[in-house]
Amino acid sequence: MSTSQKAGAAGTPQVNSRGRVIVASLIGTTVEFYDFYVYATAAVLVFPALFFPTADAATALLSSFAIFGVAFVARPLGSIVFGHFGDKFGRKGTLVASLLTMGIATFLIGCLPTALVPGWTFWAPALLVVMRFMQGLALGGEWSGAALLATENAPEGKRAIWGTFPQLGAPIGFILANGIFLGLSFGLSSDQFQAWGWRIPFLLSAVMVIVGLYVRLKLVETPAFQNVIDQGEVAKLPVGRVFKTSWRPLILGTFVMLATYVLFYLMTTFTLSYGTAASSLDAAKAAAEAKGKPMSADAIASWVPGLGYTRNEFLIMLIIGVVFFGIFTLVSGPLAEKFGRRKMLLCVTSGILVFGLTFVPLFGAGTAGVMALLILGFTLMGLTFGPMGALLPELFPTNVRYTGSAISYNVSSILGAAVAPFIAVALWQSADGSPVLVGIYLSAMAVLTLIALLIMKETRDLEYTSNVS
């Protein structure tokens, strides 16, 4: 009999055991981020050719990234919808709903016909947009619910540590998604991967969703939300209450997350595009001819050089970098408890600002330089992303915490992640293949985050369970 079951049998309030909280918060975000990264990887590797076959390479890539961004537009809506239910009816049921929504949408992407199928030239990319929107809707409610599950069950003085549990879903999901893509690319020919192999990672998500649902259905409500119920302080309209009473934290939380989002999507989506792009025009022409699609005059005129790595080479490099992301996500929790969230993030964000200015020398220093850039970038990513699991929820009272943290997190995703790959590609092209403007863009976003951190107050010692708006 588990700890929670024993407590219930004794007539005392049931609680979630530490192990159950870790697994339930971690597996949900792992599934969500896995599904999200599967799309992000496919958006670079196969979707341009499969869903935009008549466009030139640059236009097809930008179109694929545009659909990638649709999910980020949906995320604020998801934060309102799932936040409403999470603050009104509880964390547990809302987390189950968000996981189901993401899992179904991802599975269906794996079943879609492509634009290469006669009669599906319009409908294939249109349905891809719909499924991508559903993914964004689900992720809009998933992260904040998982963060609240962890932090509202955390012992005193350990919220930042427990808050890293759901944050680990990001690096684990990335490694799983890209590891599967990498394995398939080694095990299948290019034609097989292009024809049907790309579907497998999407279909496999169903297995993880089933496991995640099993764990989450065994949860009991968090003590903090149960306290809101006992006090009779459940908000009738959480989104209205949070905008009325917590508009300032909404704005600050949005900009506190900005550099984190831009950094992550530059380190994953943009670097994959830049790293695998041909390093010479002759190589680009040869690759296009090998695919049976010779470069048009417009494509030649708009072509910009990349680093010239093969897809598998760069995916391996990315996975190595993401290992550091996971390690330093765990490291960030104790640091945020010891030094405070604000002070730690001021230091890390300053590091991100400087890091953006190293793009040109590191990208230009061969494989060692590129690997150093990935390791350094993902280390900073772990240190900045880890404390967010505690910081954003701490900005809001308990009865609007799900909605408030979700809105800040996901509005920031539009300002940062939704447009970051698109802006990065445009800056890369405008600089004739140099990443200099991309690095400056990252540094500029870090400045905005530093301003928000300087304005906000430390949240480590705030009352977390009994405060209501």
Side-chain angles (χ1 to χ4, degrees), residues 51-112:
F51 288 90
F52 307 99
T54 60
D56 62 60
T59 302
L61 180 61
L62 288 174
S63 298
S64 185
F65 277 161
I67 296 181
F68 179 81
V70 165
F72 294 99
V73 176
R75 283 172 66 166
L77 178 60
S79 68
I80 293 172
V81 172
F82 287 103
H84 174 84
F85 289 104
D87 281 328
K88 195 172 180 66
F89 302 108
R91 315 327 191 191
K92 173 185 172 179
T94 307
L95 282 167
V96 170
S98 68
L99 186 61
L100 268 177
T101 303
M102 174 65 91
I104 291 172
T106 304
F107 183 83
L108 290 178
I109 288 176
C111 300
L112 283 180

Side-chain angles (χ1 to χ4, degrees), residues 422-464:
F422 193 87
I423 290 175
V425 170
L427 291 174
W428 169 32
Q429 292 177 333
S430 66
D432 297 324
S434 170
V436 59
L437 295 180
V438 179
I440 292 173
Y441 165 56
L442 173 61
S443 296
M445 297 302 101
V447 170
L448 294 178
T449 291
L450 282 172
I451 293 171
L453 287 167
L454 288 169
I455 294 172
M456 70 169 281
K457 297 179 180 179
E458 177 57 54
T459 61
R460 177 180 55 184
D461 300 319
L462 293 176
E463 167 56 43
Y464 195 65

